[in-house]
Amino acid sequence: MALVGVDGAIAASDAEPVSLHLTADGGAEQDPAEWWDALAVAVRRMLASAGGARVAGICPTGQWSGTVALGGDGQPLHRAIIWMDSRGAPDVRRLVRGPLRVAGYDPRKLRTWVSRTGGAPGKSGKDPLAHILWLRRARPDVYRAAAVFLEPKDWLVHRLTGVRVATTDSIALHWVTDNRDLANVCYDDELLALAGIDPAKLPDLVAPSAVAGALTAWAASDLGLPAGIPVLAGSPDLHTAAVGSGAVDDFAAHLYVGTSDWIGCHVPFKKTDVVRNVATVPAAIPGRYLVVNEQESAGACLDYLADNLLIDAPADRATTYRRFDELAAAAPPGSGGALFLPWLNGERTPVEDAALRAGFFNLSVDTDRRHLVRAVFEGVAYNVRWLLAAVERLTGRRHDPITMVGGAARSGVWGQIFADVLDRHVRCAARPIDVNLRGAGLLGAHALGHLRLDDLAAAVPIDRVHEPDPATGTLHDGRFREFLAFHRANRRALRRLNR
């Protein structure tokens, strides 16, 4: 969370860790009560450090593609199912198939979804629609008792105000809204029937800039804030990151690299590339769509490396990441031949395949930890190059420069690797780890009348710019071709191993 001035400047920020619960059957859950406790601790600490700042409004953001099942009393009936969870994959595959199939979809169903929503339910089972279908099958008691299913960001709005709403951007991955008219995004009866979800269990829809309600007395007491502060409906993390990067103009691209990564831009049109699993969805900015193209594992690959492969990795993550930078910088471009495939948790785009898995290839007796760390940096960048090609095909233009945000943007080594691998100028925004919070603050300042849309881009300072090194172009072109070839050669084996 952060205190963001009405000019977009971040006055203070704080964070508190929460637990992740993984299950052997593909489950990924977090406890909403723990979310709230962490928020309360961090907000109080942040307010104390800021010395009595006056809060004009609250604009929530949070992880997208999750599900909180609330009972009639407003309490969660189950831990939150988050974006990594794939247990609903069999339910979605049954939902989307038919007598005839194209890439696993009934063409008639696919046409209906794409024409109205801009996309279609992902067969990986990681969309909220899949979460709800899984609850209906595997936890029928929870499904029956649920009064409403909320995205994590929308649950936070409920916890702050007592109001149960979703925004026209947060609801998109339920695949039940007609998004063709951004001024009138609404639930669609045919899409609801296709999904098979009880519409009474879905929240009312409002614009991200709408005031959802006022901060309640009991929420204010927990947070150490005065009651009555206006709470905006807000936007999910992908949408606020796009704004917080400063890439708010049409076709201005941003790259977020954190635990996962994504690349995208705002566009003035609705469009879908079914083959590459890339689509536009309603953006947080009024009247605009956002290209969404996400990679499942990015910084998560470095965490995996630290936790499982580097025996002497420091316990402190910040120190670990600095050590990774030193090791990667000491290895040559191309990682001494080592190649890393970054699919620790399957993949969504530009291919959707939950069975894909990560791995190192082409290791030799000369490969050492310097090469392994740089290979992870480069492997994530090769996957982003794959994403970028799909985005540029959809938008019909070359995106250069690209603004980089997220924790990885603090790494000068990784920023230069992205510039070299992508052959693009990479602009690293200031305070990149706070990009979602800055974006939410900017959206809140605009909604409350303090900033014009035209002011948002200028409110984001740039720390540095990485220019692509032409000397590495041929090397990375060749390695990227091999990266794609490894995918083609191994995808069937991975499906057999992970069925």
Side-chain angles (χ1 to χ4, degrees):
M1 62 293 303
L3 285 171
V4 183
V6 294
D7 60 353
I10 298 175
S13 64
D14 210 320
E16 187 73 12
V18 295
S19 304
L20 173 63
H21 304 273
L22 300 176
T23 64
D25 59 350
E29 300 175 349
Q30 291 181 320
D31 186 347
E34 190 177 357
W35 288 347
W36 182 257
D37 291 344
L39 180 70
V41 168
V43 166
R44 285 182 170 275
R45 193 165 56 213
M46 180 181 66
L47 291 172
S49 69
R54 186 178 72 85
V55 178
I58 299 173
C59 188
T61 187
Q63 57 179 293
W64 197 23
S65 193
T67 302
V68 182
L70 286 190
D73 61 355
Q75 296 302 310
L77 300 167
H78 191 275
R79 282 197 297 230
I81 304 171
I82 69 168
W83 56 274
M84 296 171 62
D85 195 295
S86 61
R87 289 174 292 185
D91 305 280
V92 170
R93 287 196 291 268
R94 283 191 293 270
L95 176 71
V96 304
R97 68 190 181 193
L100 298 175
R101 300 182 198 178
V102 176
Y105 291 88
D106 181 320
R108 294 166 300 179
K109 295 179 181 178
L110 184 61
R111 182 169 58 248
T112 300
W113 275 311
V114 170
S115 66
R116 300 185 193 182
T117 71
K123 298 191 300 295
S124 64
K126 297 178 181 180
D127 299 338
L129 172 58
H131 302 161
I132 296 170
L133 294 176
W134 177 80
L135 284 171
R136 190 177 65 183
R137 170 177 57 85
R139 302 287 190 273
D141 54 328
V142 173
Y143 182 86
R144 286 192 301 269
V148 67
F149 296 107
L150 295 176
E151 276 272 350
K153 183 270 300 179
D154 299 322
W155 173 85
L156 180 57
V157 171
H158 166 71
R159 191 69 173 78
L160 293 166
T161 66
V163 176
R164 302 174 184 180
V165 295
T167 48
T168 52
D169 51 2
S170 70
I171 201 67
L173 296 184
H174 289 68
W175 307 112
V176 292
T177 52
D178 187 334
N179 301 327
R180 289 174 290 186
D181 178 4
L182 288 177
N184 187 35
V185 174
C186 59
Y187 290 118
D188 181 277
D189 290 340
E190 188 174 353
L191 294 174
L192 287 166
L194 196 56
I197 296 175
D198 181 354
K201 295 180 181 292
L202 295 175
D204 292 336
L205 299 180
V206 298
S209 58
V211 175
L215 185 66
T216 63
W218 51 268
S221 176
D222 281 356
L223 300 177
L225 288 168
I229 295 172
V231 178
L232 299 168
S235 283
D237 55 359
L238 263 74
H239 302 72
T240 53
V243 175
S245 72
V248 294
D249 295 333
D250 285 345
F251 306 108
H254 73 283
L255 167 64
Y256 177 95
V257 185
T259 302
S260 60
D261 67 45
W262 60 78
I263 190 164
C265 62
H266 293 97
V267 294
F269 51 74
K270 175 179 170 293
K271 189 175 181 181
T272 303
D273 183 341
V274 175
V275 173
R276 293 163 187 83
N277 204 29
V278 185
T280 60
V281 295
I285 296 177
R288 308 277 280 287
Y289 291 95
L290 181 67
V291 177
V292 176
N293 203 7
E294 183 191 11
Q295 174 182 341
E296 286 287 273
S297 301
C301 297
L302 288 181
D303 290 337
Y304 182 89
L305 191 67
D307 293 338
N308 298 286
L309 298 181
L310 296 185
I311 298 172
D312 60 347
D316 173 56
R317 271 292 186 259
T319 304
T320 300
Y321 295 149
R322 286 194 296 270
R323 178 61 176 148
F324 280 157
D325 275 0
E326 294 168 358
L327 289 167
S335 307
L339 185 66
F340 177 72
L341 308 183
W343 306 313
L344 282 171
N345 192 40
E347 196 49 274
R348 290 197 188 205
T349 55
V351 295
E352 184 180 36
D353 191 343
L356 291 182
R357 292 294 181 268
F360 287 101
F361 289 86
N362 201 37
L363 306 187
S364 74
V365 293
D366 296 320
T367 303
D368 60 30
R369 67 176 60 193
R370 297 170 305 151
H371 303 113
L372 294 177
V373 172
R374 189 176 185 99
V376 172
F377 280 35
E378 290 182 344
V380 171
Y382 292 136
N383 210 90
V384 169
R385 179 166 167 169
W386 201 7
L387 302 185
L388 177 61
V391 169
E392 292 186 336
R393 186 179 181 91
L394 184 137
T395 60
R397 62 189 64 208
R398 176 184 172 92
H399 295 288
D400 192 4
I402 297 171
T403 302
M404 184 175 173
V405 291
R410 295 178 296 183
S411 167
V413 177
W414 214 350
Q416 186 60 49
I417 287 173
F418 276 111
D420 294 342
V421 169
L422 302 179
D423 189 28
R424 302 291 189 276
H425 293 79
V426 172
R427 305 162 72 244
C428 294
R431 299 192 67 151
I433 202 167
D434 292 328
V435 61
N436 304 101
L437 302 171
R438 177 167 53 217
L442 289 170
L443 289 168
H446 168 65
L448 295 173
H450 298 288
L451 281 177
R452 301 174 304 157
L453 286 176
D454 292 344
D455 299 327
L456 301 188
V460 181
I462 299 299
D463 264 355
R464 64 185 185 279
V465 178
H466 297 281
E467 297 186 6
D469 182 356
T472 67
T474 300
L475 169 69
H476 288 306
D477 288 347
R479 286 173 59 80
F480 178 62
R481 287 193 296 271
E482 297 302 334
F483 179 91
L484 298 180
F486 269 101
H487 169 260
R488 289 192 298 270
N490 291 285
R491 58 188 175 185
R492 290 184 179 84
L494 289 169
R495 286 175 190 168
R496 291 191 296 269
L497 289 168
N498 298 301
R499 68 179 70 176

